[in-house]
Amino acid sequence: MRASEDPVSEANPVREEILRWLAESVPLERQSIEALLDVPPSAQMGDYVLPCFALASELKRPPAEIASELAGGFVPNDRVLRAAAAGPYLNFFVNRPLMTSHVLRQVHELGADYGKADSGAGKNVVIDYSSPNIAKHLGVHHLRSALIGRSLYRIFEALGYNCVGINHLGDWGTSFGKLIAAFERYGDVEAESATVSQLQELYVRFSREADQRPELQDQARRAFQRLEGGEAGATELWKRFKATSVTEFERIYRMLGISFDSYAPESFYLEMTDEVLRRMKQSGLARESEDALIVPLDDYGLPPYMLRKADETTLYATRDICAAEYRWRKYRFHLALYVVGGEQELYFRQLKKVLELMGHQWAERVEHVGFGLLKFRDAETGLLRTGSTRQGEMIPLEEVLRSGVEKARQKIRENLDKLEGGADPDELAAQVGIGAVVFSDLSVKRAKDVVFDWDRMLDFEGDTGPYVQYAHARLCSIMRKAGEEVSPEADCEPLQLPEEWALVRLLERFPSRLRAAAEGREPSMIANYLLELCAQFSAYYSAGMREAQRRVLCGDEATRAARLLLVSAVRHTIRNGLALLGVAAPERM
RNA sequence: GCGCCGGUAGCUCAGUGGAUAGAGCAUCGGAUUUCUAAUCCGACGGUCGGGGGUUCGAGUCCCCCCCGGCGUGCCA
């Protein structure tokens, strides 16, 4: 790729000019100046600001004095019109049309690439997300990992990284021993035709009975031993569970538009466990304790890491080591993200430490991206609790998605007269209904616990996915009505409204928000940015409804051309942001 | 006990060391001959859990405490 084709935004010339002048006027490194240069809280105060406190301690003089002296020495030019001190702050007033035209042209040129960068070129990021256990329905509580993981995938991809999305299917472990034992005990379900619902019922039924009769636990353990031993009957059953489950999972992933580059499940790593266990014993890392095999981690203030249970079977921890090594061998990752609930924070610290002790210098690239728990308000007690699949309390994800789609369908029916030709109501209902669910999940910082709430999840008004989609649809509508090409050559001088300037400032910020979202592994930063941008646009748009002069498609040709360029840039940015979240951007609604 | 995460308006949340702490929901009042009212405008609403500290400046960083959640060797 030639440099000129890199999807990277060019530096803002106005900001560059301020930085250049500051670099010669102030005894600070360019880097620290860049870190200090900020945007004032209100546009009346100025367009950029340098707080002079850091300089004050450097120069041992009062900050207000420095600010006013700097302001006095500033030479206006075509990019920066004025510098003024306001107490300890040095405010800059820029050539707004110049910066506006820079930003708008940039967005127009880059289009779907606006915000992207190539800083990750040549680096692989492995992202482990969703990773549900088989033989159970996907529940709402499975949503977060899948959505956060998919969004991080898109975010890193936008920064030029090559991403590998892995669904580390939970297809191995004692719970499948339980299920096999249940099949054999009850014998009333046909393995060939068993649905996920039936598997789940069997599991719950067996668990309940096992609470009364502890000997069933032993039966389950033995069944898992047979499975790990490769016994044909047990293996055959297990293969059935898996095929049925994956079919159902994929149906739901399709609704969400989620996909994976690899489905390598836990069982994929079984063949590697013996070698790993041997190696760890030989190196003295692992040792027998209470009949189990563990890696003691007392020296690091961590509980021991268990590799093999007293009953000789392995656990997830064993397979996770194999998986990490395998992923390193195969992908040589720059970063390996595990998008898994925050409750496993300690476990991932152990895993990372063990990998490090094994001599893998890449252990530092392994990172747990945790997120808060999904909780449910108990209808009777009013108390919060986590859902337990074991007791059969779970809200199926598919049901939530379908409810969203159904609610959107109703709303569309009410507004059918508004819907211009060319829109497919069914497709739109899916886009909006599922968009609402996805956005509501991703708009909250991932560390927060969330309480499941039908109404909030399926809300279409206020700070929601449909709100953003609606703004986008309105933008598309303006573009359609304009019936003309957006001209990147349009003169931006007519964009004099404060609302227009506010939009430009927001657009300019998008690339850095994208970077910050990647650094913080935080898709909510994109969601909240979009809400801010849409709020600003909606206010602008509504002003146009009240006053014809403020409309985009106004009488004055030059103003109209400039506004179209602005509006087109807003539309591109909203669409790009929604794509990062995995939310559809319908053109009519 | 120890560890991790959270505590900001009645509710749900933004705010990643800077000027007067912001949204949405709810409540109340307005806006639709107009580029889509899934919208907009206004009002009401705050000891940023408490206390110390660092700093020119703390919701933001550090320490202690309180509350809630989660985790803390044979599940994943």
Side-chain angles (χ1 to χ4, degrees):
Chain A
M1 191 190 284
R2 292 199 315 274
S4 60
E5 286 175 353
D6 287 355
V8 179
S9 317
E10 278 169 38
N12 170 359
V14 165
R15 186 165 175 275
E16 284 304 306
E17 171 60 22
I18 295 173
L19 289 171
R20 191 199 59 75
W21 180 76
L22 282 173
E24 20 178 87
S25 316
V26 142
L28 290 175
E29 294 299 313
R30 182 184 158 111
Q31 267 201 329
S32 28
I33 299 173
E34 257 186 278
L36 285 170
L37 190 66
D38 205 352
V39 176
S42 108
Q44 282 106 35
M45 295 173 173
D47 300 321
Y48 285 97
V49 60
L50 182 82
C52 296
F53 305 104
L55 279 171
S57 51
E58 187 81 13
L59 301 172
K60 310 242 184 294
R61 289 173 52 204
E65 204 178 296
I66 298 171
S68 78
E69 190 180 300
L70 281 171
F74 180 78
V75 185
N77 55 71
D78 64 330
R79 295 178 171 187
V80 185
L81 310 179
R82 194 158 66 84
Y89 295 97
L90 178 63
N91 289 315
F92 296 92
F93 296 82
V94 309
N95 181 339
R96 290 183 177 182
L98 181 74
M99 179 167 147
T100 297
S101 107
H102 166 79
V103 172
L104 299 187
R105 266 166 220 173
Q106 195 86 76
V107 182
H108 186 270
E109 248 169 62
L110 296 172
D113 287 336
Y114 180 61
K116 290 189 181 176
D118 57 5
S119 49
K123 296 175 189 160
N124 291 341
V125 176
V126 172
I127 310 177
D128 181 319
Y129 56 103
S130 191
S131 305
N133 291 335
I134 62 164
K136 291 175 192 171
H137 288 297
L138 286 181
V140 255
H141 57 285
H142 287 109
L143 198 53
R144 305 208 71 195
S145 172
L147 296 181
I148 293 167
R150 183 260 300 270
S151 181
L152 290 177
Y153 188 109
R154 301 251 173 110
I155 287 169
F156 276 94
E157 194 176 48
L159 295 180
Y161 293 90
N162 174 53
C163 294
V164 183
I166 299 182
N167 192 343
H168 187 71
L169 231 41
D171 67 343
W172 207 253
T174 26
S175 61
F176 304 108
K178 258 189 188 176
L179 205 46
I180 289 164
F183 255 93
E184 292 166 349
R185 177 170 183 79
Y186 306 125
D188 50 3
V189 175
E190 289 292 326
E192 290 74 31
S193 61
T195 62
V196 175
S197 294
Q198 286 173 320
L199 295 177
Q200 199 167 284
E201 277 162 29
L202 275 178
Y203 184 84
V204 171
R205 185 170 157 198
F206 190 87
S207 298
R208 288 206 176 123
E209 201 183 341
D211 285 342
Q212 313 300 321
R213 317 177 49 152
E215 69 270 23
L216 291 192
Q217 301 286 10
D218 296 329
Q219 255 180 51
R221 240 188 302 279
R222 277 195 300 276
F224 181 54
Q225 279 166 344
R226 278 159 48 209
L227 186 62
E228 274 213 323
E231 191 216 68
T235 304
E236 201 43 50
L237 274 175
W238 169 79
K239 279 187 179 160
R240 293 299 317 170
F241 307 157
K242 196 165 150 182
T244 312
S245 305
V246 170
T247 306
E248 179 176 307
F249 293 169
E250 288 190 323
R251 189 175 68 234
I252 296 166
Y253 290 138
R254 246 195 312 281
M255 290 177 80
L256 287 163
I258 289 179
S259 61
F260 301 90
D261 301 304
S262 161
Y263 262 88
E266 274 196 71
S267 60
F268 175 77
Y269 303 99
L270 285 173
E271 59 182 46
M272 307 168 203
T273 54
D274 284 350
E275 188 273 326
V276 165
L277 289 178
R278 202 175 326 118
R279 181 159 27 109
M280 293 181 75
K281 274 190 280 192
Q282 261 168 20
S283 69
L285 215 52
R287 67 147 208 256
E288 299 283 339
S289 162
E290 299 171 29
D291 294 328
L293 187 69
I294 62 158
V295 180
L297 296 173
D298 320 55
D299 291 351
Y300 312 96
L302 293 168
Y305 190 85
M306 185 170 294
L307 293 167
R308 204 197 56 227
K309 296 180 283 179
D311 67 6
E312 298 292 314
T313 59
T314 61
L315 344 86
Y316 60 100
T318 329
R319 298 181 290 272
D320 272 346
I321 289 180
C322 302
E325 288 190 333
Y326 175 83
R327 290 171 186 180
W328 170 251
R329 281 198 303 275
K330 181 152 185 189
Y331 305 112
R332 300 284 151 168
F333 49 77
H334 173 73
L335 203 56
L337 302 179
Y338 290 77
V339 185
V340 179
E343 67 276 11
Q344 294 193 43
E345 186 266 347
L346 178 59
Y347 167 68
F348 278 103
R349 255 169 50 208
Q350 292 174 278
L351 171 61
K352 199 167 163 166
K353 178 54 77 179
V354 171
L355 291 170
E356 187 190 313
L357 292 174
M358 290 174 81
H360 297 313
Q361 74 286 14
W362 46 264
E364 61 185 22
R365 305 179 180 200
V366 170
E367 183 180 324
H368 173 220
V369 178
F371 52 85
L373 235 48
L374 182 68
K375 300 192 174 168
F376 301 87
R377 174 95 45 198
D378 190 289
E380 287 167 23
T381 62
L383 296 173
L384 291 180
R385 52 176 177 70
T386 56
S388 157
T389 321
R390 198 171 162 281
Q391 287 159 32
E393 306 164 329
M394 190 204 47
I395 301 175
L397 179 50
E398 199 166 12
E399 186 185 331
V400 173
L401 298 179
R402 287 191 193 287
S403 302
V405 176
E406 195 40 49
K407 191 178 168 192
R409 205 188 301 279
Q410 275 170 28
K411 180 82 186 168
I412 291 164
R413 262 200 292 274
E414 288 167 26
N415 294 346
L416 212 54
D417 51 317
K418 273 180 20 181
L419 202 62
E420 302 166 43
D424 173 4
D426 287 328
E427 192 193 353
L428 181 59
Q431 292 176 318
V432 172
I434 290 170
V437 173
V438 172
F439 194 94
S440 83
D441 199 293
L442 289 180
S443 59
V444 178
K445 259 197 317 206
R446 61 183 164 78
K448 291 229 183 203
D449 287 349
V450 296
V451 179
F452 179 77
D453 183 330
W454 283 103
D455 291 340
R456 199 167 305 124
M457 208 165 215
L458 303 186
D459 197 1
F460 294 169
E461 287 165 22
D463 284 351
T464 65
Y467 172 80
V468 176
Q469 291 174 318
Y470 187 66
H472 177 263
R474 281 171 141 185
L475 283 156
C476 291
S477 174
I478 294 175
M479 314 286 291
R480 276 195 305 272
K481 294 229 156 87
E484 60 197 75
E485 288 289 302
V486 173
S487 164
E489 302 309 319
D491 179 8
C492 291
E493 194 73 39
L495 298 176
Q496 293 289 337
L497 297 171
E499 293 89 340
E500 291 167 337
W501 177 242
L503 281 171
V504 171
R505 297 309 304 255
L506 280 168
L507 292 176
E508 189 218 3
R509 222 191 291 163
F510 181 63
S512 69
R513 287 291 277 203
L514 175 51
R515 251 149 267 179
E519 275 166 34
R521 290 80 163 108
E522 193 62 273
S524 69
M525 293 184 74
I526 302 293
N528 286 301
Y529 169 83
L530 287 177
L531 288 173
E532 206 179 330
L533 179 61
C534 289
Q536 191 55 243
F537 164 72
S538 296
Y540 175 59
Y541 181 92
S542 299
M545 294 296 271
R546 290 189 297 273
E547 211 179 324
Q549 286 170 337
R550 294 167 82 98
R551 291 166 64 170
V552 173
L553 305 179
C554 61
D556 183 72
E557 216 165 290
T559 307
R560 173 187 169 111
R563 287 181 179 166
L564 268 175
L565 183 58
L566 170 65
V567 146
S568 162
V570 173
R571 188 187 66 133
H572 271 122
T573 306
I574 291 177
R575 185 192 278 174
N576 294 352
L578 286 175
L580 294 171
L581 299 176
V583 173
E587 303 204 339
R588 305 163 203 261
M589 66 186 276

